[in-house]
Amino acid sequence: MRGVVLREAGKPVEVSDELTLRPPGAGEVRVRLRAAGVCHSDLSMCEGRLPARLPLVPGHEGAGEVVELGPGVTGPPVGTHVILSWIPPCGACHLCLGGQPNLCVSVRPSGPPALRLGAEPAHAALGVGCFAEECVVDARAAIPIPDDVPFDVAAVVGCAVLTGVGAVVNTARVRPGSSVLVIGCGGVGINVLQGAALAAAAPVLAVDRVPEKLEVARGFGATHTATPDELDEVAEELTEGRGFDYAFEVVGRSQTIRQAWRATRRGGTTVVVGAGSADDMVSFSAAELFATERRLLGCLYGSGDVRTDFGRLLRLWRAGRLDLDGLISRRITLDDVGEAFTAMGSGDVIRSLVTF
Ligand code: APR
Ligand code: ZN
Ligand code: ZN
């Protein structure tokens, strides 16, 4: 089959038709991809800023159709439309049972990888590898959705939408009338803005270094916008000098985490949504932490439960409360993924979507 391959970190991706997949084993299903979004974490993996095993098939924001079940697998049945979850919940560990299935680490691939590139083993990004025609995944990573949901819309729910909206409604549990700052208005940040609108937050300040992204941000719930240079001044004005109730960092860098932190009020909360690299350290004064009772929260996959939250988000979309179609700036083929990585930095692309 065809798929996007990264052979060496920092090098461009290429498209290969020498990928093969073994049939699904016990507990696994084979899924034919129908749509896959290009997320910044894919680029970070390809650049070596997030860990990945090579050769890599990137892509972790996908939707498709179940085409084969491994031995003994009872579902989802062949033909089911699914969103791929890059953290499949085992459903039985203390984290899954305790309401934090996004932190489950129990579903691990056993045995050799399902993918091969020519004669050598290859690795699917985050266990899914959506930039290929098909993938073999744990059955618990294939989350059923209704047949009439377009695959495009379903794909973006698989990472950007759950991560962004979840950060607001699950991680922070923002209450109506709270003041919110969002730093980084890409595919994920735009969904933090949509989440803030759903939560009836106000004011909602969107910050990005690319002015065109601020334009988009207004269409997705930002009541105010600023470039990073303008942040301090606008924040002062909007919050009467107190600082924000909530600040969401959606870039994944220590510098912007510090910026978000500084912009919160006494007792305010900073939520780190961006995926940072292991060697990027953030420091805080111990005295400041104590004396101002500020809070710092990590946020993995929107603190969500894919088994219920994908459906919840799709219902909001159906009701016209979430704009998912508007997130998709352009449709591309597997051949254009490398170019889509570059386009992520530009003003006019929120999400590039690979269709198959
Ligand atoms: N200050 C403000 N905005 C910034 C800065 C900065 N210093 N650096 C980058 N940005 C903006 C970019 O202009 C862009 O609009 O952050 C946005 C990032 O958006 P995308 O590249 O579309 O990334 P996205 O897919 O939204 O992911 C954001 O979440 O899932 C993680 O790994 C992902 O860490 C990444 C983050
Ligand atoms: Zn992602
Ligand atoms: Zn579990």
Side-chain angles (χ1 to χ4, degrees):
M1 65 171 181
R2 289 186 91 224
V4 175
V5 173
L6 176 80
R7 293 176 194 267
E8 198 184 326
K11 291 276 156 64
V13 293
E14 54 193 86
V15 176
S16 172
D17 49 18
E18 301 200 340
L19 284 167
T20 53
L21 265 182
R22 62 156 170 75
E28 292 177 333
V29 297
R30 184 161 61 93
V31 173
R32 178 166 302 145
L33 268 301
R34 299 290 297 276
V38 181
C39 176
H40 205 111
S41 298
D42 294 311
L43 173 59
S44 298
M45 279 181 244
C46 292
E47 287 176 337
R49 282 186 289 111
L50 288 179
R53 292 204 284 171
L54 302 173
L56 176 79
V57 173
H60 62 276
E61 186 179 88
E65 195 176 330
V66 176
V67 287
E68 187 183 357
L69 305 184
V73 176
T74 53
V78 168
T80 308
H81 295 192
V82 295
I83 297 177
L84 292 161
S85 168
W86 51 268
I87 303 177
C90 79
C93 73
H94 75 287
L95 290 161
C96 284
L97 295 174
Q100 293 182 296
N102 62 313
L103 302 181
C104 178
V105 285
S106 301
V107 179
R108 298 237 157 155
S110 52
L115 271 173
R116 295 187 91 78
L117 177 61
E120 73 180 310
H123 304 277
L126 303 181
V128 287
C130 298
F131 296 153
E133 289 168 335
E134 296 187 344
C135 63
V136 165
V137 297
D138 190 286
R140 291 165 290 192
I143 310 295
I145 54 164
D147 280 357
D148 63 338
V149 175
F151 286 109
D152 299 18
V153 156
V156 292
V157 169
C159 183
V161 181
L162 177 55
T163 302
V165 176
V168 178
V169 304
N170 297 329
T171 314
R173 296 175 186 265
V174 170
R175 295 172 58 207
S178 306
S179 57
V180 164
L181 166 67
V182 180
I183 302 184
C185 303
V188 180
I190 287 291
N191 283 291
V192 175
L193 291 167
Q194 297 214 78
L198 271 178
V204 178
L205 175 62
V207 171
D208 201 289
R209 61 180 176 195
V210 179
E212 292 90 337
K213 300 260 181 175
L214 298 178
E215 203 68 35
V216 179
R218 284 189 183 269
F220 282 90
T223 60
H224 299 76
T225 60
T227 60
D229 295 341
E230 298 162 349
L231 169 58
D232 287 351
E233 202 186 313
V234 178
E236 170 89 22
E237 211 174 279
L238 282 180
T239 69
E240 289 153 23
R242 287 193 296 266
F244 289 90
D245 297 327
Y246 295 93
F248 293 86
E249 193 274 356
V250 208
V251 178
R253 290 182 191 277
S254 56
Q255 187 218 342
T256 36
I257 294 171
R258 280 288 318 175
Q259 238 166 25
W261 168 267
R262 276 200 306 108
T264 55
R265 64 164 168 83
R266 288 171 66 77
T269 301
T270 299
V271 183
V272 178
V273 186
S277 58
D279 57 356
D280 190 10
M281 311 305 283
V282 193
S283 60
F284 300 93
S285 134
E288 184 190 14
L289 186 61
F290 171 77
T292 70
E293 207 183 90
R294 283 189 172 91
R295 295 187 295 165
L296 180 64
L297 304 179
C299 169
L300 180 64
Y301 216 172
S303 310
D305 184 337
V306 292
R307 296 164 299 182
T308 50
D309 281 356
F310 285 165
R312 203 187 289 263
L313 293 164
L314 289 171
R315 286 194 294 277
L316 285 165
W317 163 75
R318 261 196 226 281
R321 308 287 300 272
L322 274 181
D323 180 3
L324 303 186
D325 311 86
L327 296 173
I328 301 161
S329 316
R330 51 195 206 142
R331 287 166 177 78
I332 61 171
T333 66
L334 286 172
D335 299 285
D336 308 317
V337 168
E339 194 269 322
F341 283 157
T342 315
M344 222 157 9
S346 81
D348 53 344
V349 176
I350 307 171
R351 269 295 192 259
S352 301
L353 193 92
V354 179
T355 54
F356 294 84

